[in-house]
Amino acid sequence: MREAFATRDEQDRYVSTALAARFPQGADDTLRAAFTIMAKAETRLRCQGELAGGLAVRIHGAALDNFGVTVHQYATSAEPSTAIFVALVRRADVPSTVCAKLPPTQAGAAGSMVGYTQRVRGEGEQGIWGIGAGENSAEDRIRRLLRQRRTGEGQFVLQRAANSERPHPPLFTSWIDIASGSAAAGRYLITVDSNDTTVVAATGDQLARELIERRR
């Protein structure tokens, strides 16, 4: 399960010809509607990652008008062409449905934190007053978190105005699952820009709410 359109023209041709050929009017209206939403979507939320044991997860949510659709697949290198599951949902339910396809786990026990990106990376250790980050600073705690053993990791990609001539730049958010047995066990969302590295402990409904905030 992967996106295949390289250009807007390719997408338009797919909607007008390929869908019509594969799903003639009346043949399977539900599936035709789902793939039409996927092809013409205004907003897209994709999630991909790797879980323990080499299991790959691929999830794609799309919204058009008041309607939504999610498509997900679990695969391994030994069996890459596994079943693909398609569901029609309300537009408002796309983020929560996408998040529900990840394995359940607790929110990260280390909690949420924000650090200065350069110091998280080990650069620019001195602040503007010549004071270092310190051993128990947010930056140091983020570094320790990122060194913990993981049972899953991946990325969410959000794109708005995806069907316009000038789509918004995609927004990237990483997610990691820290293994149980660690004091930091659980799931975290991580966003990085030139100023801040933001770590949010979240799972389930919290995870969906965080992604909805990024969609606005």
Side-chain angles (χ1 to χ4, degrees):
M1 187 184 81
R2 303 180 190 279
E3 288 192 68
F5 303 129
T7 67
R8 180 64 184 271
D9 288 342
E10 285 185 18
Q11 176 179 321
D12 291 341
R13 284 197 299 272
Y14 175 78
V15 173
S16 62
T17 59
L19 280 179
R22 293 185 185 185
F23 306 107
Q25 195 70 34
D28 191 330
D29 288 343
T30 301
L31 200 55
R32 179 187 174 89
F35 280 100
T36 298
I37 293 169
M38 290 290 290
K40 294 185 174 182
E42 301 162 345
T43 303
R44 299 183 185 278
L45 177 62
R46 303 191 302 277
C47 175
Q48 60 184 23
E50 186 170 332
L51 308 175
L55 185 66
V57 57
R58 305 179 186 117
I59 314 164
H60 192 134
L64 178 66
D65 298 329
N66 293 322
F67 305 100
V69 64
T70 62
V71 180
H72 73 277
Q73 179 189 43
Y74 305 104
T76 65
S77 56
E79 192 177 1
S81 300
T82 54
I84 295 174
F85 300 89
V86 182
L88 282 169
V89 298
R90 296 185 308 151
R91 180 190 185 102
D93 292 336
V94 169
S96 59
T97 305
V98 167
C99 293
K101 305 309 177 187
L102 290 175
T105 187
Q106 68 183 44
S112 301
M113 56 194 104
V114 181
Y116 183 46
T117 295
Q118 284 192 338
R119 288 202 291 262
V120 171
R121 293 172 176 168
E123 305 165 355
E125 288 294 329
Q126 299 300 315
I128 60 173
W129 303 114
I131 301 172
E135 289 188 1
N136 201 37
S137 64
E139 291 85 0
D140 188 63
R141 285 183 283 123
I142 291 171
R143 284 196 296 269
R144 290 201 301 268
L145 176 71
L146 296 177
R147 290 194 292 265
Q148 298 290 315
R149 185 171 68 86
R150 304 176 190 180
T151 56
E153 61 184 326
Q155 188 177 65
F156 289 100
V157 183
L158 172 66
Q159 186 158 35
R160 294 174 293 175
N163 61 350
S164 73
E165 294 298 331
R166 300 183 66 182
H168 294 191
L171 301 175
F172 298 92
T173 304
S174 298
W175 61 271
I176 59 173
D177 288 350
I178 302 300
S180 60
S182 165
R187 181 166 293 152
Y188 301 85
L189 286 176
I190 303 172
T191 54
V192 180
D193 61 29
S194 58
N195 292 314
D196 295 325
T197 296
T198 303
V199 177
V200 177
T203 191
D205 291 341
Q206 294 170 291
L207 193 66
R209 283 197 296 270
E210 287 292 327
L211 295 171
I212 289 170
E213 286 299 315
R214 288 162 171 75
R215 188 175 67 178
R216 290 175 180 168

